[in-house]
């Protein structure tokens, strides 16, 4: 299997015996290998000051069929964590020093759009409907996310709690995720999410949940993720980004769709529950009186 190191070695050899344009591009890529995995062909060509077709010719010169094949090798490094969070942070600071924040803006926009398109294109709505039905039928639903995914779990639990009972975000306070599952059984559902590098406490909680007969809805970035094996419902969510942290754009979209399906599956009584929730908030004065604030 060809690795990014193999490609960089080929570029080093190629630049010594090729056309001036390919040598120029090879030199740029050797100095900025991180750019390959996060830039489109147009963006990378502009940065290297060559034509996009030069990247296609270079890809073939190093033994690959296309630029996408070339780029995918470096994108795979990012997915597998060979490019570390500090590496990305240093790269971001380098962009600022070079006055390239406009390019970073474009790269961020492209990554967000690609993640959303990737999620919607690869996810069957029937699979989400099946997960939603399991949540509605469950005695309790636990939503587990740590780090940057914890606010996503909290938000889902908050919104779902307006409509149905028994939805709880984990971890709770200073406890471990597995602590919140101590009394869970086959009547319950666990929605667990973790992305590379996979969090140990999430994997351990999923393992415990399976042992207790809990239905697992696993959300991750790869079928090879340790929480995917034996999960009753599995969802792949792209998280790629030029940033130094996991993107939650597509993850947020997934949970927005899931909550919509939960509402649809729960029946008419859910409307009464949501209405009562908001009526109580109005009665308690939680919302601003718009007529008074505009007066």
């Amino acid at each position: 299997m060809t690795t990014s190191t193999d490609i960089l070695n080929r570029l080093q050899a190629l630049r010594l015996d090729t056309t001036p344009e390919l040598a120029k591009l090879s030199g740029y890529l050797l100095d900025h290998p991180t750019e390959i995995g996060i830039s489109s062909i147009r963006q990378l060509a502009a940065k290297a000051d060559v034509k996009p077709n030069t990247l296609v010719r270079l890809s073939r010169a190093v033994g690959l069929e296309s630029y996408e094949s070339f780029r995918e090798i470096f994108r795979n490094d990012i997915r597998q964590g060979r490019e570390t969070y500090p590496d990305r942070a240093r790269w971001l600071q380098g962009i600022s020093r070079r006055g390239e924040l406009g390019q970073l803006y474009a790269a961020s926009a492209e990554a967000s759009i690609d993640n959303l398109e990737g999620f919607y294109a690869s996810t069957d709505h029937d699979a989400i409907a099946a997960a939603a039905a399991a949540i509605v039928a469950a005695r309790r639903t636990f939503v587990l996310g740590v780090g940057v995914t914890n606010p996503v779990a909290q938000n889902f639990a908050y919104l779902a709690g307006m409509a149905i009972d028994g939805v709880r975000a984990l971890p709770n306070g200073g406890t471990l995720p597995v602590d919140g599952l101590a009394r869970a059984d086959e009547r319950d559902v666990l929605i667990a999410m973790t992305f590379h590098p996979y969090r140990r406490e999430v994997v351990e909680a999923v393992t415990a949940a399976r042992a207790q007969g809990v239905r697992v809805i696993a959300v991750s970035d790869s079928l090879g993720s340790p929480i995917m094996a034996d999960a009753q419902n599995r969802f792949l969510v792209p998280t790629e980004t030029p940033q130094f942290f996991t993107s939650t754009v597509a993850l947020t979209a997934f949970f927005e769709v899931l909550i919509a399906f939960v509402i649809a599956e729960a029946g008419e009584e859910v409307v009464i529950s949501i209405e009562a929730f908001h009526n109580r908030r109005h009665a308690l004065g939680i919302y601003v009186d718009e007529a008074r604030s505009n007066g």
Side-chain angles (χ1 to χ4, degrees), residues 158-214:
Y158 167 71
L159 292 174
M162 294 184 191
I164 59 176
D165 294 328
V167 183
R168 303 175 184 176
L170 297 177
N172 184 14
T175 65
L176 293 172
V178 71
D179 293 336
L181 299 169
R183 296 181 180 83
D185 58 32
E186 66 278 358
R187 295 169 292 177
D188 303 317
V189 166
L190 170 64
I191 308 173
M193 59 188 122
T194 187
F195 302 89
H196 195 276
Y198 307 113
R199 293 288 293 260
R200 180 181 300 276
E201 61 265 54
V202 176
V203 176
E204 291 174 348
V206 168
T207 300
R210 290 192 191 115
Q212 294 166 214
V214 177

Side-chain angles (χ1 to χ4, degrees), residues 32-269:
H32 306 89
T34 305
E35 300 280 2
I36 302 170
I38 61 173
S39 301
S40 69
I41 189 169
R42 295 185 307 278
Q43 292 169 337
L44 192 53
K47 292 173 183 177
D49 193 25
V50 298
K51 296 179 180 179
N53 188 54
T54 306
L55 279 158
V56 176
R57 290 193 289 117
L58 182 73
S59 301
R60 292 171 180 165
V62 296
L64 298 172
E65 293 183 356
S66 65
Y67 173 69
E68 282 306 314
S69 300
F70 179 84
R71 183 190 187 200
E72 185 63 21
I73 291 170
F74 290 84
R75 289 169 72 92
N76 192 51
D77 277 359
I78 295 173
R79 293 190 193 101
Q80 295 184 20
R82 286 192 284 270
E83 181 186 274
T84 66
Y85 291 150
D87 286 337
R88 292 194 188 187
R90 282 190 287 269
W91 174 74
L92 289 170
Q93 291 180 346
I95 280 181
S96 178
R97 287 193 295 269
R98 295 192 300 270
E100 298 175 358
L101 291 179
Q103 294 177 18
L104 173 61
Y105 183 84
S108 297
E110 182 179 38
S112 295
I113 293 169
D114 285 350
N115 286 343
L116 285 170
E117 287 182 344
F119 163 66
Y120 283 110
S122 63
T123 306
D124 184 354
H125 75 275
D126 287 335
I128 300 180
I135 291 167
V136 172
R139 176 185 59 166
R140 291 173 298 193
T141 295
F142 302 93
V143 195
L144 170 56
V146 298
V148 297
T149 65
N150 183 254
V152 180
Q154 295 284 348
N155 188 59
F156 179 83
Y158 167 71
L159 292 174
M162 294 184 191
I164 59 176
D165 294 328
V167 183
R168 303 175 184 176
L170 297 177
N172 184 14
T175 65
L176 293 172
V178 71
D179 293 336
L181 299 169
R183 296 181 180 83
D185 58 32
E186 66 278 358
R187 295 169 292 177
D188 303 317
V189 166
L190 170 64
I191 308 173
M193 59 188 122
T194 187
F195 302 89
H196 195 276
Y198 307 113
R199 293 288 293 260
R200 180 181 300 276
E201 61 265 54
V202 176
V203 176
E204 291 174 348
V206 168
T207 300
R210 290 192 191 115
Q212 294 166 214
V214 177
R215 183 186 188 98
V216 175
I217 299 174
V219 185
S220 195
D221 52 0
S222 168
L223 289 175
S225 168
I227 70 169
M228 288 296 204
D230 301 325
Q232 286 86 346
N233 304 86
R234 298 182 293 180
F235 296 98
L236 292 176
V237 176
T239 60
E240 294 179 21
T241 174
Q243 305 290 352
F244 65 94
F245 49 81
T246 298
S247 170
T248 58
V249 172
L251 183 65
T252 299
F254 164 71
F255 276 102
E256 287 188 1
V257 175
L258 182 59
I259 190 63
F261 277 43
V262 166
I263 300 295
E265 178 70 24
E268 291 188 8
E269 65 274 10

